[in-house]
Amino acid sequence: MRQDRGWRRILITVGASSLQGIRRGIDVVRALSLGATAVAVGRPVLFGSVMGGAQGAQSVIEHLRDELRAAMLLGGAANVTGLSRDYLKV
């Protein structure tokens, strides 16, 4: 990955075109473990806002946050900065 080669100033994002999009907290963990510095979650938030307005969008974000926390706890990660490719190995 580019970060491994010293390219620390490049923003690495993961969106709908890669990894089939971000749908769950474990998807966020996978993306960050692969070196992403940002994760786009536009489609789920859009669906939440269509179904419930601002409250629906907020609910989707909170649910995704809770799933991310659970996935990190189950994987033994203390925080997102500590995620690495080692968390992807089973």
Side-chain angles (χ1 to χ4, degrees), residues 48-83:
S49 66
V50 167
M51 296 302 292
Q55 246 181 333
Q58 181 177 351
S59 176
V60 168
I61 292 171
E62 289 171 356
H63 185 73
L64 193 60
R65 180 199 62 210
D66 294 343
E67 285 185 342
L68 172 61
R69 284 182 183 163
M72 288 178 53
L73 284 171
L74 290 171
N79 55 45
V80 293
T81 58
L83 291 173

Side-chain angles (χ1 to χ4, degrees), residues 9-81:
R9 296 186 68 188
I10 292 178
L11 177 65
I12 302 169
T13 63
V14 175
S17 63
S18 51
L19 297 177
Q20 299 301 316
I22 302 298
R23 303 274 189 240
R24 294 176 213 91
I26 190 67
D27 297 330
V28 176
V29 170
R30 288 179 186 137
L32 295 174
S33 295
L34 288 171
T37 50
V39 180
V41 291
R43 188 176 299 160
V45 174
L46 176 66
F47 291 160
S49 66
V50 167
M51 296 302 292
Q55 246 181 333
Q58 181 177 351
S59 176
V60 168
I61 292 171
E62 289 171 356
H63 185 73
L64 193 60
R65 180 199 62 210
D66 294 343
E67 285 185 342
L68 172 61
R69 284 182 183 163
M72 288 178 53
L73 284 171
L74 290 171
N79 55 45
V80 293
T81 58

